[in-house]
Amino acid sequence: PRVLNGSIRSMSGSNPSHINTPDNLTTTYFDFTEENYLRVTRILSKYPSNYKQSGIIPLLDLAQRQAGGWLPLAAMDKVAKIVGVAPMRVYEVATFYTMFNREKVGKYFMQLCGTTPCMICGSEDIKNTIEKHLGIKDGETTEDGLFTLREVECLGACANAPMIQMNDDYYECLTPKTTIELLEACKKGQPPPMGKWGSLPMNGQVSCEGPKGKTTLMSVPEPPPFRADFDKFEKVDPKSVKVHMGYGGYDETTPEEDLTGAG
């Protein structure tokens, strides 16, 4: 099995240093597809023209998806050129956020939550099941390139622990048996589709509902009535509010009593 550098759990993901591989050199070519350039334009349109660097994260995500789940150096350089910053500024983002993979991962990238709620509910059993069934360890990729396993910190699905994030999808309430069923389905190219709420508890429940189903919030509550007495209040000049709160200086002609509230 292939080993991801820095497989020990850390907040920075893989090795922060670039490692040359035949398909990830400084001379490797990368450019967005014509379709993705339309997405690039749409992403950048959300920010002022002099703050294009605000689009670094969504652009890196777009590049990673185009590259097949990882970010070659050339893709980061392309993003830097598009937003007009030094490449190092983009490298800093890509090495900080664990959502970016700077080394190749499998078709099914499994991030196994190992934080306290999942650990108490059996994440170690799930980890051992995956490792035994696929013949890989944490941080490794199967020889056929189908699966990569990485243990990570909390993924925010504590109510349905233990769970894994596979690519973009959450598979929750796992047992060793349902974990194997999930892996075998993926081998056939048929990962189970997500449920109506965007995740899939593997025990048959819906979202975070307990074994008795939905027991509360059975209807949409009425919103509180809108206040109709605003016109009765004294009108306040927003500029004077800023002065009284110390948000800025004031004109020399402003009467002293106005600043103290005496006038």
Side-chain angles (χ1 to χ4, degrees), residues 5 18 25 27 30 42 54 88 90 98 144 148 171 194:
N5 287 289
H18 172 69
L25 303 169
T27 56
F30 176 89
R42 189 157 58 247
S54 298
M88 180 54 69
V90 177
T98 58
D144 58 10
T148 296
Y171 293 94
M194 294 291 95

Side-chain angles (χ1 to χ4, degrees), residues 224-233:
F226 184 77
R227 293 187 61 172
D229 59 347
F230 281 113
D231 290 337
K232 299 178 182 178
F233 292 101

Side-chain angles (χ1 to χ4, degrees), residues 17 30 50 57 62 92-93 104 131 155 233 235 239 255:
S17 301
F30 176 89
N50 58 329
I57 290 179
L62 181 64
E92 290 170 346
V93 174
K104 276 190 173 181
E131 291 180 343
L155 291 170
F233 292 101
K235 297 296 185 292
K239 184 177 179 181

Side-chain angles (χ1 to χ4, degrees), residues 23-24 28-33 36 59-76 101-106:
D23 53 2
N24 193 14
T28 302
Y29 177 79
F30 176 89
D31 200 359
F32 286 109
T33 63
N36 277 342
L59 290 177
L60 285 177
D61 180 66
L62 181 64
Q64 179 166 276
R65 292 174 186 276
Q66 178 177 313
W70 71 294
L71 275 176
L73 187 67
M76 292 184 272
N101 305 309
R102 291 174 299 101
E103 299 169 23
K104 276 190 173 181
V105 296

Side-chain angles (χ1 to χ4, degrees), residues 68 105-109 141 144-148 166-167 186 189:
V105 296
K107 178 180 179 180
Y108 299 106
F109 178 41
T141 300
D144 58 10
L146 270 183
F147 298 96
T148 296
M166 183 180 288
N167 298 338
C186 292

Side-chain angles (χ1 to χ4, degrees), residues 130-147:
I130 294 173
E131 291 180 343
K132 182 177 180 181
H133 193 71
L134 297 179
I136 58 175
K137 295 293 185 182
D138 181 22
E140 294 182 348
T141 300
T142 55
E143 293 291 352
D144 58 10
L146 270 183
F147 298 96

